[in-house]
Amino acid sequence: MTQLIQARKGIITKEMRKAAERERLDPEMIRRGIAAGVIVLPANINHKNLQPLAIGRGTRVKVNANIGTSPDYPQAGELLQKLEQAIAAGADAVMDLSTGPNIAQIRRQVLAASPLMVGTVPIYQAAAEALDRYGAIVQMTVDDLFRTIEEHARDGVDFITVHCGITRQIVQNLQKRRRTIDIVSRGGALLVGWMLYHERENPLYEYFDRLLEIAVEYDVTLSLGDGMRPGCLADATDDAQIQELLILGQLVERARARGVQVMVEGPGHVPLNQIQTNVEIQKSLCRGAPFYVLGPLVTDIAPGYDHIVAAIGGALAAWAGADFLCYVTPAEHLGLPDAKDVREGIIASRIAAHAADIARGLPGALDWDLKMARARKALDWQTQIKFAVDPERAKAVRREKNPGERQECSMCGQFCAMKIVAEALGSEQFPGC
Amino acid sequence: MTQLIQARKGIITKEMRKAAERERLDPEMIRRGIAAGVIVLPANINHKNLQPLAIGRGTRVKVNANIGTSPDYPQAGELLQKLEQAIAAGADAVMDLSTGPNIAQIRRQVLAASPLMVGTVPIYQAAAEALDRYGAIVQMTVDDLFRTIEEHARDGVDFITVHCGITRQIVQNLQKRRRTIDIVSRGGALLVGWMLYHERENPLYEYFDRLLEIAVEYDVTLSLGDGMRPGCLADATDDAQIQELLILGQLVERARARGVQVMVEGPGHVPLNQIQTNVEIQKSLCRGAPFYVLGPLVTDIAPGYDHIVAAIGGALAAWAGADFLCYVTPAEHLGLPDAKDVREGIIASRIAAHAADIARGLPGALDWDLKMARARKALDWQTQIKFAVDPERAKAVRREKNPGERQECSMCGQFCAMKIVAEALGSEQFPGC
């Protein structure tokens, strides 16, 4: 029985209890959210070492890190280093998006090593294998695709991205009305290529029930992919995107009816002033399903700094109600991220998520900031470093820029406002942070 | 005659014309904005090599970089490197906040080398000299302070931060009702220390007319400092901050009446959900004066990453109407930024400013993104690098991560969505970007 089916029966599972405990939330609140479909708890019955977390209404905004090999960087060792980095940097989830060789073997290594929930995009493997087997991605059969999906489910993958919402109708519309950048979703592009070649409907849409049967058996959470997500500001919130979202909303209902947990993926490249609208239209059309956004990126012009661009959009999206942020690294649009990029991306997303938690009034979110503020006033560097989102970085910068380790820092030295004011107004002592 | 006085007389000065030209705006629009006080054009009559820029309504959001020596890092050479870095990275203004030795000499070097408008905080020099001369900052006299301000004006400083709004009343209120972090403004702290020691009113408030006489003579734009800006989220939008803002609004009127250009500085540490309110209350109380914000920082917990924290807040603030973003570097809260930090801080702020320009519908802002998007679709790396906010960085990352320099990047390789879609849908050629 999936978490959703159990939640509807009024059962608080041990996963719900654990997830509630990790956020100091009421397990009954989690159960009710799952039953209503506004919370998902991705926890494949075969992912044995998972530390479960809930995603959705009333919970902390979560952060996902995409890791994976690529044909140019096929080493499993590097991938596992990125997984370690993701865990250390405080990600809540990882997606193994490997497209290099030995995808299945690598996935099993990731699952074995990851206490974080693990997501995948099965069509990457199906496409890579079709290329090997038949010499062309479009020769992939419907059975190949579903066999791969079932393999991922059986291996213990907690959530899978499936681009079920790209219908023939949408592709025909796209042919008539081209976009500035038509499609930037890899999975979306693979499917569209297949659909046009075979002149057939999207198998993930046509055989959605087959997908649901796999998902319900292993309790795989479906992450309905947005193959039509805008890949530049000029394409944001356009017909193609909203047509797909309408389909995704209908699929959310069908998944829930079958007892399958489901969340919905969102853009992409979106200007600041359209982010709230994007979140609200998703929440409305997709019946409150948790919203998993990639970015959003609020400008197209900053390759090398897209983790910052995504932090701006992610903070705003999460404040408006997005539940799950897919990180973007400084390598985005330029190449495959390395372990250092993974860290930068996760910290940027965690900052965005936390800023949104505060803005949303998540109970307890502001306590963290208060501890930091008090340590700052007291010029207590040890406590400041302890409570930094990345203590290692804070410690290194502090040390590098303050060789003597005096009490004030090298920005102001004897002109330190904290010291001057403490002398002028008298200092208050705070009980240990 | 100041730009403001001339604008009121209907004169379009050569600075207005130049500033308009640099942004492809109508010079008459700039003149009208200056006359109404919603635009400032900081251009000291003695800053000979200045390339003027307008700040305020209808213009591009501007970015300032704080540079300066400190007692721990007193080298003028390092400061001038930071100035070069600021110019190269695309800052619109620099503030020389030096507190190390030879402040006056360093400032003159900065002014001689800077085509960007230059701001200062004269009380730093007055305080440093009082320390040298009398052995204690509080021994600074009112005449010392005004003599220093006049020196800055005569040297050609385009705008000065003056914390005129900290009245005795506000300090008394602060003594009664302490904040989590009372004061984080250096200038504010120096003044409060002085006021409490002497039991006197803030000289910048008491003798505001004397300040106006200096400003009008050299056309120094006043940047009314927010000595009570919140230094942590817990202090945001509180009594002390708003009391000071009320005073600043009154001083805006007095400055304008004397023909002095004036803008107003703002926070600081502000949660996401209070940023719009902060901008709107400033615009209302300060009669539409251009708003110059430091950050805002949307969380306190990210030392080492505060450029990202500030980019989130800055984008939102500028979208809501803030006109001028003071950068924050990764070194903030830890030590004095070096040239590398300066670059990181400026790029992060420029991203925020540009995202806001797009959201505000600034004519032409989106064109930049469109050029990038088209180059991306065409997998035209040269053009992508050319239009990157930091071409050097984009080029370096591209090279590092794609040793072979194939057409696709190492993220997707043969699974590149652009290629798959171009093959499936047919590729459109765009005339050169």
Side-chain angles (χ1 to χ4, degrees):
Chain A
M1 281 201 297
T2 65
Q3 299 290 329
L4 173 52
I5 293 171
Q6 295 182 82
R8 284 212 195 109
K9 288 186 194 288
I11 301 168
I12 295 177
T13 63
K14 68 175 192 302
E15 289 80 13
M16 295 177 204
R17 202 171 297 283
K18 189 72 197 290
E21 205 174 277
R22 291 181 71 189
E23 296 196 45
R24 295 182 199 177
L25 294 169
D26 174 14
E28 173 58 16
M29 185 278 259
I30 299 287
R31 186 201 64 76
R32 255 184 286 128
I34 294 172
V38 298
I39 292 179
V40 291
L41 200 166
N44 186 308
I45 56 167
N46 286 344
H47 189 189
K48 299 302 182 189
N49 54 330
L50 172 71
Q51 301 280 340
L53 270 178
I55 300 168
R57 189 182 297 168
T59 74
R60 181 169 61 72
V61 174
K62 306 301 183 301
V63 168
N64 174 72
N66 287 340
I67 56 177
T69 63
S70 78
D72 287 350
Y73 293 96
Q75 283 77 20
E78 283 177 20
L79 170 64
L80 293 171
Q81 271 174 18
K82 290 184 206 171
L83 173 63
E84 267 177 49
Q85 187 65 264
I87 295 169
D92 299 302
V94 291
M95 288 191 81
D96 172 13
L97 303 188
S98 292
T99 54
N102 305 318
I103 294 180
Q105 189 188 330
I106 283 175
R107 176 178 60 254
R108 284 162 203 153
Q109 288 179 283
V110 168
L111 279 161
S114 177
L116 311 182
M117 55 183 122
V118 173
T120 59
V121 189
I123 199 172
Y124 296 171
Q125 182 184 344
E129 289 179 355
L131 202 58
D132 283 350
R133 193 175 305 149
Y134 313 117
I137 291 171
V138 288
Q139 297 303 335
M140 174 186 76
T141 67
V142 173
D143 279 340
D144 288 340
L145 179 56
F146 278 96
R147 242 193 325 266
T148 308
I149 291 172
E150 178 138 30
E151 186 184 310
H152 284 232
R154 204 170 34 234
D155 283 348
V157 170
D158 302 295
F159 62 100
I160 54 172
T161 295
V162 273
H163 301 88
C164 306
I166 309 174
T167 59
R168 283 193 85 180
Q169 183 64 57
I170 288 173
V171 175
Q172 283 161 9
N173 292 345
L174 184 64
Q175 286 177 297
K176 279 184 227 143
R177 189 169 183 275
R178 296 289 290 271
R179 306 165 102 185
T180 300
I181 303 187
D182 298 296
I183 296 178
V184 294
S185 155
R186 261 190 302 192
L190 294 169
L191 279 168
V192 169
W194 190 94
M195 290 161 72
L196 286 168
Y197 182 84
H198 294 281
E199 299 186 355
R200 281 186 63 177
E201 185 51 279
N202 176 355
L204 295 174
Y205 178 73
E206 190 172 358
Y207 307 109
F208 188 64
D209 287 331
R210 191 169 167 184
L211 189 58
L212 293 181
E213 290 316 307
I214 298 170
V216 83
E217 184 174 349
Y218 299 96
D219 201 359
V220 176
T221 298
L222 298 186
S223 188
L224 297 179
D226 55 335
M228 294 293 146
R229 72 166 170 272
C232 63
L233 296 190
D235 291 339
T237 329
D238 72 349
D239 304 32
Q241 184 196 329
I242 304 301
Q243 282 163 7
E244 184 185 35
L245 197 60
L246 278 160
I247 306 282
L248 297 183
Q250 294 158 15
L251 298 180
V252 164
E253 279 212 329
R254 287 174 59 189
R256 285 181 183 168
R258 187 60 189 90
V260 169
Q261 300 192 84
V262 60
M263 59 185 168
V264 172
E265 298 185 10
H269 292 240
V270 183
L272 263 185
N273 55 313
Q274 292 179 16
I275 288 178
Q276 193 181 345
T277 301
N278 267 271
V279 175
E280 286 174 359
I281 189 86
Q282 183 276 346
K283 289 283 175 182
S284 174
L285 294 179
C286 298
R287 287 81 170 156
F291 198 20
Y292 176 26
V293 295
L294 176 56
L297 295 167
V298 296
T299 174
D300 304 335
I301 54 99
Y305 298 88
D306 276 323
H307 61 309
I308 297 178
V309 178
I312 296 172
L316 207 59
W319 175 27
D323 306 281
F324 192 20
L325 302 180
C326 185
Y327 83 170
V328 173
T329 78
E332 187 72 21
H333 296 114
L334 293 169
L336 196 75
D338 60 22
K340 191 175 148 292
D341 296 318
V342 167
R343 183 175 200 88
E344 296 285 319
I346 290 169
I347 300 290
S349 284
R350 286 184 63 205
I351 289 168
H354 180 64
D357 282 338
I358 292 166
R360 285 159 71 151
L362 183 79
L366 206 53
D367 295 351
W368 185 3
D369 298 71
L370 200 56
K371 284 174 188 157
M372 178 64 84
R374 287 175 175 166
R376 262 188 195 141
K377 185 180 190 174
L379 292 172
D380 172 352
W381 292 96
Q382 221 177 328
T383 306
Q384 286 179 64
I385 287 164
K386 178 179 159 196
F387 285 111
V389 66
D390 182 351
E392 226 174 274
R393 167 79 59 94
K395 191 174 183 175
V397 178
R398 161 82 183 151
R399 187 167 293 169
E400 178 206 324
K401 296 192 183 290
N402 302 276
E405 298 255 342
R406 275 180 309 135
Q407 206 190 10
E408 327 84 88
C409 84
S410 59
M411 169 83 94
C412 305
Q414 62 202 338
F415 298 103
C416 173
M418 307 291 180
K419 289 199 82 161
I420 294 168
V421 172
E423 283 163 21
L425 286 177
S427 69
E428 273 177 12
Q429 291 306 319
F430 290 103
C433 295
Chain B
M1 280 203 299
T2 64
Q3 299 289 331
L4 174 53
I5 293 170
Q6 294 181 83
R8 284 211 195 110
K9 287 184 195 289
I11 302 167
I12 294 178
T13 64
K14 69 173 191 304
E15 288 81 13
M16 294 176 206
R17 202 170 298 282
K18 188 72 198 286
E21 206 174 277
R22 291 182 70 189
E23 297 195 43
R24 298 181 198 178
L25 294 169
D26 174 16
E28 173 58 16
M29 185 278 261
I30 299 286
R31 185 202 64 76
R32 256 183 287 127
I34 295 172
V38 298
I39 292 177
V40 293
L41 201 166
N44 187 307
I45 56 168
N46 286 343
H47 188 188
K48 299 302 180 189
N49 54 330
L50 174 70
Q51 301 279 341
L53 270 178
I55 299 169
R57 189 182 298 171
T59 74
R60 180 171 62 74
V61 174
K62 306 301 185 299
V63 168
N64 173 72
N66 287 339
I67 56 177
T69 64
S70 78
D72 288 349
Y73 293 95
Q75 282 78 19
E78 283 178 20
L79 170 63
L80 293 171
Q81 271 175 18
K82 290 184 209 173
L83 172 62
E84 268 178 49
Q85 187 64 265
I87 295 168
D92 299 301
V94 291
M95 290 191 78
D96 173 13
L97 303 188
S98 291
T99 53
N102 305 317
I103 293 178
Q105 190 189 327
I106 283 174
R107 175 177 61 253
R108 284 162 202 150
Q109 289 177 282
V110 168
L111 279 161
S114 178
L116 311 182
M117 57 183 122
V118 174
T120 59
V121 188
I123 199 172
Y124 296 171
Q125 182 184 345
E129 289 180 355
L131 201 58
D132 282 350
R133 193 175 304 148
Y134 312 118
I137 291 171
V138 289
Q139 297 303 333
M140 172 186 77
T141 68
V142 173
D143 279 341
D144 289 338
L145 178 57
F146 279 97
R147 242 194 323 269
T148 307
I149 292 171
E150 179 138 28
E151 188 184 307
H152 285 232
R154 202 169 38 234
D155 283 348
V157 171
D158 302 295
F159 63 99
I160 54 173
T161 295
V162 274
H163 301 88
C164 305
I166 309 174
T167 59
R168 283 195 84 180
Q169 183 64 55
I170 287 173
V171 176
Q172 283 160 9
N173 291 346
L174 184 64
Q175 286 176 298
K176 278 183 226 143
R177 190 169 181 277
R178 296 289 290 271
R179 307 166 101 187
T180 300
I181 303 186
D182 297 297
I183 296 177
V184 294
S185 153
R186 262 189 303 194
L190 293 168
L191 279 169
V192 168
W194 190 95
M195 290 160 74
L196 286 169
Y197 182 84
H198 294 281
E199 298 186 353
R200 282 188 61 179
E201 186 50 279
N202 175 356
L204 295 173
Y205 178 75
E206 190 171 359
Y207 307 109
F208 188 65
D209 288 332
R210 190 168 166 185
L211 188 59
L212 294 180
E213 291 316 307
I214 298 169
V216 84
E217 185 174 348
Y218 300 96
D219 200 1
V220 176
T221 298
L222 298 186
S223 187
L224 298 179
D226 55 336
M228 294 293 146
R229 75 166 168 272
C232 63
L233 296 189
D235 291 340
T237 329
D238 72 349
D239 303 33
Q241 185 197 328
I242 304 302
Q243 282 163 9
E244 184 185 36
L245 196 61
L246 279 160
I247 305 282
L248 296 182
Q250 295 158 14
L251 299 179
V252 163
E253 279 212 325
R254 288 173 59 188
R256 286 181 183 168
R258 187 61 190 90
V260 170
Q261 300 191 87
V262 61
M263 58 185 167
V264 173
E265 298 185 11
H269 293 240
V270 184
L272 264 185
N273 55 312
Q274 292 179 14
I275 288 177
Q276 191 181 348
T277 301
N278 267 270
V279 175
E280 287 174 358
I281 189 86
Q282 183 276 347
K283 289 282 173 183
S284 174
L285 294 178
C286 298
R287 287 80 171 155
F291 197 21
Y292 176 25
V293 295
L294 176 56
L297 295 168
V298 296
T299 175
D300 304 336
I301 54 99
Y305 298 88
D306 275 324
H307 60 310
I308 297 178
V309 179
I312 296 171
L316 206 60
W319 175 27
D323 306 281
F324 191 20
L325 302 181
C326 185
Y327 85 168
V328 173
T329 79
E332 187 73 20
H333 296 115
L334 292 169
L336 196 73
D338 58 24
K340 191 176 148 290
D341 297 317
V342 166
R343 183 175 200 88
E344 296 284 319
I346 290 169
I347 300 290
S349 284
R350 287 184 62 207
I351 289 168
H354 180 64
D357 282 338
I358 292 167
R360 285 158 71 150
L362 184 78
L366 206 53
D367 295 350
W368 185 2
D369 298 71
L370 200 56
K371 284 173 187 156
M372 179 62 85
R374 287 174 176 166
R376 263 191 194 137
K377 185 179 190 173
L379 292 172
D380 173 352
W381 292 96
Q382 220 176 331
T383 307
Q384 287 179 63
I385 287 164
K386 177 178 161 197
F387 285 112
V389 66
D390 182 352
E392 226 174 274
R393 168 78 59 94
K395 191 174 182 174
V397 177
R398 161 83 182 148
R399 186 166 296 169
E400 178 205 325
K401 296 193 184 289
N402 302 276
E405 298 254 342
R406 275 183 306 137
Q407 206 190 9
E408 327 85 87
C409 84
S410 60
M411 168 83 94
C412 305
Q414 60 201 342
F415 299 102
C416 173
M418 307 292 180
K419 288 198 84 163
I420 294 168
V421 172
E423 285 162 22
L425 286 176
S427 70
E428 273 176 10
Q429 292 304 319
F430 291 103
C433 296

